[in-house]
Amino acid sequence: MTELREYEYAVIRAVPRVERGECVNLGVLLYCRWQERLLARTLLPEAKLLALDPAVDLAGVGRALRGIEAVAAGGPEAGPAAADSPGQRFRWLTAPRSAVVQPGPVHTGLTADLDADLERLFRDLVA
């Protein structure tokens, strides 16, 4: 029997015009305490973002997504955050913020295959 482990995830979204409250899902962060792994997968859907705000800073949104992926990976590109544990990085990335790119609420699930669940969540919630 395969052992199921708890994980937490959050959708990364863009809110180009905060006053309108419209958003586009850009990616998924997934953290498993048992495996001490933090995974991220993102996508820059330019047409969707431009439909919500023709003046959206696509380059800025792209930089924010690359930064999120770097912090999630924890390598040298993460800067000082690289020294933090995956759980600390997940909490930092999912902290509420008032920016165009922001995290949604944190949800939980059970998994036997973290990588497969990241792909499933990405497919169902973003792509």
Side-chain angles (χ1 to χ4, degrees), residues 58-124:
L58 291 174
V61 172
R63 282 189 303 274
L65 293 178
R66 287 189 300 280
I68 288 168
E69 289 179 347
V71 170
E77 296 82 22
D84 292 338
S85 71
Q88 289 171 310
R89 294 193 317 270
F90 179 74
R91 299 288 172 242
W92 184 78
L93 289 169
T94 57
R97 50 185 47 93
S98 296
V100 172
V101 177
Q102 54 186 253
V106 174
H107 303 282
T108 60
L110 294 172
T111 187
D113 184 341
L114 205 58
D115 296 298
D117 277 313
L118 175 67
E119 293 306 314
R120 179 186 56 79
L121 288 168
F122 183 82
R123 181 187 65 245
D124 293 348

Side-chain angles (χ1 to χ4, degrees), residues 2-35:
T2 303
E3 187 173 4
L4 296 176
R5 294 293 191 178
E6 297 173 10
Y7 68 89
E8 297 175 82
Y9 74 95
V11 173
I12 300 300
R13 59 190 177 194
V15 186
R17 295 181 56 192
V18 176
E19 70 277 9
R20 292 183 59 145
E22 299 168 328
C23 66
V24 174
N25 292 345
L26 304 176
V28 177
L29 290 169
L30 194 148
Y31 168 63
C32 181
R33 181 172 58 97
W34 299 102
Q35 295 181 11

